[in-house]
Every structure is written in C-alpha cells, then in structure tokens.
Amino acid sequence: MNCKKCNIKIKYVLLIITLISTFFISLFLGRFLISPLVVIKTFGEIISQINCSSNSIETSVIANIRLPRTILSMLVGAGLSISGATFQGIFKNPLVSPDILGVNAGAAFGAVLAILFCGLNSNVTFYAILFGIISVCITYMLSKNKESGPVLSLVLSGIIVSSVFSSLISLIKYVADPYDKLPTITYWLMGSFSKCSYDDLKFIFLPITVSIILLLMMRWRINILSLGDEEAHSLGIDPKKIRLIIIALVTIITACSVTIAGIIGWVGLVIPHISRIMFGVDHSRLLPVSCIIGAIFLTLVDIIARTATSVEIPIGILTALIGAPFFGWLIKKKNKGDWA
C-alpha cells in the first residue's frame, strides 16, 4: 500500500517537472530560436519587473508573443482535459468529450457569424461565448424528456444541436466572400494560438481558472454521480442540481477555449484516458492529473505547430492527427467492456 502511494507521488512529481520543463521549452523554441539562458534571464526580469523596458528582440518575442501564447495553450489544454474527464464521469461514458452538448458548434457558429459581419475583432469573442451558452441552453431544454433517462436525453439533444449549428456554419461559409471572409473563417475553425495576446489572456483567464477550481472542488461529487442517480440520492446528493452546475462550468471553459483558439478536438477525449491509465478512475486524482497532462499535451502540440514547417500548422489538424490514431490504439488495446 505504501509502495503504491509512493509510486503515485513519484508520478505527480514527474508530471510537475514535465509541466515546468514544457513551459520553458515553449518560450525558447520557435522559428526564432532563443537560448535557454536568455529565456530564464528574461523571464526572471519579467517576474521581478527589472529591465522590463528592454527593447531587445529576444525580450520582445518572449514577453509579448510566446509568454501569453504558452500560458493560453496550457490553460486551454487543462480546461478541455478536465472538462472531458468530468463529462465522462457524470455521463458514465468514456467516449464523451466536452463538445457533446453542442457548445463547440454553437460557439463556432457565433464566431463565424461575427467574422462574416464584423471581421476579426472583439465581437468574435462575445458572440462565440453567447452562442456557446445558447446552444447548451437549447440542449438542456430539448432534454426534458421523461420517457428516457436524463443522461441519454442530454446526449441525444446535444447531437441534434451540434448538427444544426454545424449546418449553419456550413451555410455561412457558403455565402461568405471567397476572397476575404471565407479564408479567415476556415483558418479560424482549424484552431490556432497564433493571434493570442495578453488581452485574450485577461479575458479568459479568470473564467477558465475559476471553473477549473470549482470542478476540482466538486471531484468527490463527480465520483458519486458516476455511480448513478440512485446512489447519489441515497448519499444526500441532488444529481440534477450538481449535473447542471457541472454542465455550466464545462460550458464556460469550452466556450472560452473556442473563442481564443477555435475548435480543438480530441484533447478532452484522449487526455482523460491517458490520465485514467496512469492514475486510475478516482476523480480526486483523475481531474488534477488531466489538467496537468492536458496542459503539457496542448503546449507540446503548439510547439510542433509553430516549428515543424515554415508556415504555422493549424493546431486543430495536429490534435486530430495525434489524437485519433492514439485513440484507435486505445480501442484496440482495451477489451470490450473494459473501459474504466
């Protein structure tokens, strides 16, 4: 027993070290390579606010481009991963991802609608979050079906809403100017952190961070919900109320992530499985571990996106190319009915 706890502690320490290493690697790797010593020195100056007015190229690249981008990629990766792990728990389905209730499609529709009429500006963020919330509200209203269970109704309603908003996105792409708006919409939908700034960080940092913290605080309730509604009632938990709060928190995280980086798939589906293999099914460990691994994964993918070729690769393409084969391997490896 002590040996098992010791192994878990060692894994935690290794994950934290990997997270910190990935953070600093992201600051010095790119098309403009910067020495690790310069990165550490510049980062120390930024933290201590000494010589922050330095106009060197290295300082400018690190402080104004790579630092906000790295923080955002880690934040989005952590948010999407904990959202996926939470939904897989409360819906008791390992194939569920954060976009199951239609928030991705709704937020993407709001964003492309804003791009069509206003271009890339602050309206994109506002409309993306607005329609992301609207889509989940529609899903929740459609799920008021007493003939089927609440979980099944939510999932089926989410599929319907996602399909409708995806069709509306296709309609907008069809009517958009093919020389101006359509390329912008298409590239945005592929996902990228290339245009991230401190303004984006200020806007989403608090909502995503607070939502993640609240989900971590509710992790023992998620354990109970994963056992079923009858068990939850017997332990004095109102599953309907808790599920609604969790859905609201995941909606905020996912909608904010979509507004910043576009649609990034597979992170919320694959990372919880990796975490489950490493640390088991107990959500008290699974949720924080999913946050850490998700932050590491998405930051590493972002590094590849901006360094693999002379032109930046949309991050949504890479997450699909990495996540889909890996998930296929997981399915092949797992025996039928052996999903933890």
Side-chain angles (χ1 to χ4, degrees), residues 138 176 312 335:
I138 294 172
E312 183 165 324
N335 295 323

Side-chain angles (χ1 to χ4, degrees), residues 42-317:
T42 304
F43 188 72
E45 291 174 353
I46 294 170
I47 295 297
S48 60
Q49 296 185 343
I50 299 173
N51 293 328
C52 287
S53 59
S54 174
N55 293 321
S56 69
I57 296 175
E58 290 87 352
T59 301
S60 179
V61 170
I62 294 169
N64 300 323
I65 299 174
R66 292 186 184 170
L67 184 57
R69 179 170 182 159
T70 301
I71 295 172
L72 280 166
S73 64
M74 286 192 163
L75 196 61
V76 170
L80 292 177
S81 299
I82 193 174
S83 297
T86 301
F87 268 10
Q88 288 173 13
I90 67 171
F91 290 136
K92 295 177 287 185
N93 189 332
L95 302 180
V96 166
S97 61
D99 61 347
I100 191 66
L101 301 184
V103 61
N104 267 14
F109 170 74
V112 300
L113 191 66
I115 292 171
L116 179 67
F117 291 108
C118 310
L120 276 172
N121 54 36
S122 58
N123 289 325
V124 173
T125 301
F126 172 76
Y127 281 102
I129 292 178
L130 176 63
F131 278 92
I133 295 171
I134 288 173
S135 65
V136 174
C137 289
I138 294 172
T139 297
Y140 191 76
M141 287 187 291
L142 285 176
S143 68
K144 299 290 186 177
N145 182 3
K146 295 182 179 180
E147 293 182 3
S148 59
V151 172
L152 179 60
S153 294
L154 276 170
V155 172
L156 294 177
S157 300
I159 292 171
I160 294 169
V161 172
S162 292
S163 180
V164 171
F165 278 113
S166 296
S167 299
L168 291 174
I169 291 171
S170 298
L171 178 62
I172 290 177
K173 291 169 70 176
Y174 178 74
V175 302
D177 181 354
Y179 300 104
D180 180 23
K181 301 294 185 180
L182 183 58
T184 304
I185 290 171
T186 302
Y187 184 79
W188 187 90
L189 287 172
M190 290 179 183
S192 175
F193 290 102
S194 61
K195 298 185 183 298
C196 290
S197 64
Y198 284 110
D199 289 335
D200 298 319
L201 184 58
K202 290 176 184 176
F203 186 81
I204 75 159
F205 181 81
L206 195 59
I208 292 183
T209 303
V210 171
S211 297
I212 289 175
I213 291 171
L214 290 175
L215 286 176
L216 289 173
M217 291 172 64
M218 298 174 68
R219 59 191 184 272
W220 68 272
R221 292 182 175 88
I222 297 171
N223 269 339
I224 295 173
L225 285 180
S226 66
L227 300 175
D229 286 3
E230 291 184 4
E231 287 79 359
H233 278 299
S234 66
L235 292 171
I237 300 294
D238 184 350
K240 184 178 179 181
K241 180 180 178 181
I242 298 300
R243 194 177 290 118
L244 185 59
I245 294 171
I246 290 171
I247 289 171
L249 294 173
V250 171
T251 298
I252 291 170
I253 292 172
T254 309
C256 288
S257 299
V258 171
T259 64
I260 296 303
I263 297 178
I264 300 176
W266 293 97
V267 177
L269 180 61
V270 172
I271 299 303
H273 284 287
I274 298 174
S275 306
R276 207 174 280 114
I277 290 171
M278 293 177 63
F279 286 85
V281 299
D282 185 355
H283 288 85
S284 63
R285 291 197 299 263
L286 180 63
L287 296 192
V289 167
S290 294
C291 281
I292 297 171
I293 296 178
I296 294 169
F297 172 77
L298 199 58
T299 305
L300 289 176
V301 173
D302 184 51
I303 292 171
I304 296 171
R306 65 178 193 251
T307 59
T309 63
S310 58
V311 179
E312 183 165 324
I313 304 171
I315 198 168
I317 294 174

